[in-house]
Amino acid sequence: YKGQFKTADGHWCYPLTIMDHASRYLLAVHVYDSPNYEDAKRSFEQVFRQYGLPERIRSDNGPPFATTGVAGLSRLAIWWIRLGIRPERIRKGHPEENGRHERMHRSLKSAVKQGNTFMTMEEQQRWFSDYREEFNYERPHEALAGATPGTVWHPSKRQWDGRVPDYAYPSGGTVYRVKSRGTLYMGKKGTVFLSEALTDEYIMLEEQDDGLEAIIFNGITLAYYDRKSRSIIRID
């Protein structure tokens, strides 16, 4: 999110921005009245249907992108993983790790401050849509040797039909269903909390050589379970 501001009628506006890291192509600027899972998911659904699926999505550590649970997983991140997208978060307090996006935000914020706040959210959205068109096709970028993002960007080859594919865990591990409130019951092995975002999802525990078991969700290792101390070792 770019950062909230008030429209001319006094309502808070939270612009959600989605940009391609390589080309700087601004895929979306959508205005909402709060940063929440439902609205963010709707924006990403629209972008995925139109432009295809990326390999990774980099974000900060705020909601709805991250939580304090294992691996920082949120409902949005769980959905991305199920689509075959790996969430990638910058370190807390290090916005420079997403410098290209922050640079775009500075330009966008500066433009908003130059008298471009409007009476309604609908008017504000129309202005952001026009700004996105200008940003992508009229503004040359020094990092692109003077080209515009629209001339170097290409859509993803991973087209999306709107379905979430099923995932089949390989043999070699034990599959568990995460219970209510993100709790994992493993019989004699013990009970641990993972993340409420994982409630009703299936994870696999795969034994390692050092007394640990990898906690794996859809092919991604989230953390490790220490059989001796019956505790979670976070890797995030």
Side-chain angles (χ1 to χ4, degrees), residues 81-84 163-169 218:
I81 292 172
R82 294 188 66 197
L83 292 177
R163 295 181 296 176
V164 178
D166 293 327
Y167 183 85
Y169 283 100
N218 280 44

Side-chain angles (χ1 to χ4, degrees), residues 2 17 19 26 99-114 116 127-128 131 134-135 139-141:
K2 181 198 74 64
T17 62
M19 187 179 76
L26 192 52
R100 297 180 184 183
H101 205 78
E102 292 299 325
R103 178 66 185 86
M104 178 273 293
H105 274 182
R106 287 198 297 273
S107 296
L108 186 58
K109 186 178 294 186
S110 175
V112 169
K113 288 182 177 179
Q114 294 174 12
N116 291 308
W127 181 83
F128 276 126
Y131 178 90
E134 176 188 339
F135 184 91
R139 294 188 180 192
H141 282 244

Side-chain angles (χ1 to χ4, degrees), residues 36-98:
N36 63 77
Y37 165 74
E38 289 78 12
D39 288 337
K41 185 172 184 283
R42 184 163 60 251
S43 284
F44 281 99
E45 284 177 336
Q46 179 179 324
V47 167
F48 293 163
R49 286 179 181 275
Q50 185 172 358
Y51 302 116
L53 300 173
E55 292 182 1
R56 297 171 180 263
I57 296 180
R58 178 178 292 182
S59 72
D60 61 21
N61 294 275
F65 307 111
T67 66
T68 58
V70 66
L73 290 176
S74 66
R75 293 168 64 193
L76 191 63
I78 291 292
W79 178 60
W80 289 343
I81 292 172
R82 294 188 66 197
L83 292 177
I85 303 167
R86 179 179 286 271
E88 182 179 282
R89 287 185 294 278
I90 63 174
R91 290 178 295 164
K92 294 180 180 179
H94 288 271
E96 74 278 1
E97 293 182 358
N98 210 5

